[in-house]
Amino acid sequence: LDYKIKGTVIIKPDILILGTSRIMQINQKHFSHNKIYNAGVNAGASQGLEGMIKLLNSIPKNDLPKHIIVGLDPWIFNPNYPENSNNKTIRELVKNALKTKPLIFNTVKLIVNSPRDLIRRLSSYSSLINQKTPWIHYLFSSRGFKGFGLNAKMLEIGYRFDGSYKYPNDYGKEWNDQSIENYKIILEKDAYRFAPASQIYNKSIDDLKNILDFAIKNNIYITGLLPPFSPNFYSALTSMSDRSKFYQEYENKICSIFQSYGFQCFNFCDIQNNTIIKKYNNDFYDNMHPGEGLMSEITKQIMSSANLLNVQK
């Protein structure tokens, strides 16, 4: 999140993209006349809507974008998603308390993480020896944070200057949409992002309205985007009795809130409902990350409908 905050402040985009890894394929080539920055952050580190609010509040007032596209995942609004839980564990309470004292927090973090990092590194060395991989390969390819710095340059993957993310060329090539029944079996065991739920989490609705209020106050036009799922995964999610009501409310309520503010919202959850993009039904890296072609077509539709072709500061 801090990386994307710094990127946003440095780039000073006309159009800012907010969301998670599901929208990080949106890049500058989709916006020929406007400078964009994709401030998407992988879900585990994004802090959800609160993270988006933190990012927006970090931008100097004179450098605020004229337009925001915000991708909104369903788990952000799921009351049973662990990060939305009202039942904070002792571990979380201690962690949050330490965060108010950065020096202490970073010291504790170093002590806790060092043994784990050492074990991981020793494991990497062991793998290096067993596989008889040249040491030069380990130097550049087998470290963590492949998406940043020299590793990203060497591997030609990772974060671009505009904040978007480039996957490895072979990433997702072997992926195939599983059957609806297989997805249901997997979802039955899911207590994380796709945990069972029957209604929207009210605090997340309040956080969303805070973002929309921020946009109104600062004369920013904001467009909502519900990113797509693979066809069979979407069918599984919306046909399970302990989840279907939640997903119906998610799709209807989020877009209706945008409309009540006078903003547009695009629901691409089910790409089979769109005659143009449904031909991209296999253009996914996995069941919830759209491929470059699909995201490019989605971006074109948003640009055309939301008058994004010539946004000027």
Side-chain angles (χ1 to χ4, degrees):
L1 179 59
D2 289 337
Y3 172 77
K4 289 303 181 79
I5 288 174
K6 287 184 174 71
T8 303
V9 172
I10 291 169
I11 298 299
K12 300 180 178 63
D14 304 312
I15 301 171
L16 179 66
I17 317 296
L18 298 176
T20 64
S21 59
R22 298 182 68 213
I23 53 84
M24 280 200 286
Q25 300 88 318
I26 300 177
N27 59 71
Q28 183 62 59
K29 71 181 182 184
H30 300 140
F31 300 84
S32 56
H33 301 294
N34 301 292
K35 184 165 57 174
I36 74 116
Y37 187 73
N38 191 322
V41 182
N42 61 296
S46 68
Q47 299 176 30
L49 295 168
E50 291 180 357
M52 295 181 194
I53 293 170
K54 179 180 177 181
L55 187 146
L56 291 172
N57 286 330
S58 300
I59 305 172
K61 189 172 180 62
N62 291 337
D63 295 330
L64 286 169
K66 280 296 180 184
H67 199 115
I68 293 172
I69 299 174
V70 55
L72 296 162
D73 300 310
W75 56 80
I76 292 175
F77 302 94
N78 188 330
N80 297 320
Y81 178 46
E83 293 188 18
N84 290 339
S85 174
N86 291 320
N87 300 317
K88 300 296 182 183
T89 64
I90 294 176
R91 182 178 176 181
E92 288 173 324
L93 290 171
V94 172
K95 183 178 178 181
N96 290 335
L98 288 172
K99 278 188 175 179
T100 63
K101 299 176 175 59
L103 180 60
I104 297 175
F105 173 70
N106 289 331
T107 303
V108 172
K109 184 178 177 182
L110 180 65
I111 294 170
V112 171
N113 288 341
S114 291
R116 187 187 311 157
D117 291 340
L118 178 60
I119 292 170
R120 187 182 297 118
R121 182 162 296 191
L122 289 173
S123 174
S124 296
Y125 280 127
S126 174
S127 174
L128 171 68
I129 294 167
N130 291 335
Q131 296 176 14
K132 297 181 180 180
T133 308
W135 66 270
I136 195 75
H137 172 84
Y138 174 76
L139 181 62
F140 292 114
S141 303
S142 300
R143 293 172 180 262
F145 302 109
K146 292 183 180 179
F148 297 89
L150 183 58
N151 279 318
K153 284 288 186 184
M154 294 294 296
L155 300 171
E156 295 184 345
I157 63 171
Y159 291 104
R160 302 181 182 97
F161 189 70
D162 63 8
S164 63
Y165 191 85
K166 182 183 183 301
Y167 287 93
N169 291 332
D170 60 347
Y171 187 82
K173 293 294 185 184
E174 303 299 320
W175 177 83
N176 286 303
D177 207 7
Q178 296 186 40
S179 70
I180 295 172
E181 291 307 315
N182 279 351
Y183 280 132
K184 285 183 177 181
I185 292 171
I186 295 170
L187 287 166
E188 285 287 354
K189 302 174 185 176
D190 194 319
Y192 187 47
R193 289 181 186 159
F194 302 101
S198 59
Q199 59 185 16
I200 292 285
Y201 183 48
N202 287 330
K203 183 184 180 301
S204 294
I205 295 297
D206 291 339
D207 288 341
L208 175 59
K209 289 180 178 179
N210 286 338
I211 291 174
L212 298 177
D213 287 335
F214 178 93
I216 291 286
K217 179 181 177 181
N218 291 284
N219 195 31
I220 300 171
Y221 191 91
I222 184 167
T223 300
L225 165 61
L226 308 189
F229 292 108
S230 69
N232 287 351
F233 188 68
Y234 175 81
S235 295
L237 280 174
T238 55
S239 61
M240 296 179 73
S241 59
D242 57 354
R243 291 166 171 83
S244 59
K245 185 178 178 182
F246 166 78
Y247 284 97
Q248 183 178 3
E249 185 179 7
Y250 157 72
E251 292 187 52
N252 293 334
K253 189 164 188 173
I254 304 309
C255 279
S256 68
I257 290 172
F258 274 82
Q259 290 159 6
S260 71
Y261 276 77
F263 297 134
Q264 287 181 289
C265 179
F266 295 82
N267 178 5
F268 289 106
C269 291
D270 181 10
I271 65 173
Q272 299 300 313
N273 281 338
N274 188 298
T275 55
I276 297 175
I277 66 171
K278 69 178 182 180
K279 64 182 179 183
Y280 293 93
N281 63 344
N282 286 316
D283 188 21
F284 285 83
Y285 292 114
D286 53 39
N287 58 300
M288 60 179 181
H289 288 89
E292 289 274 357
L294 173 55
M295 188 53 79
S296 178
E297 191 59 51
I298 285 174
T299 307
K300 286 178 185 175
Q301 291 196 26
I302 292 175
M303 287 176 65
S304 176
S305 299
N307 295 318
L308 275 167
L309 296 175
N310 287 292
V311 173
Q312 298 294 331
K313 282 208 167 186

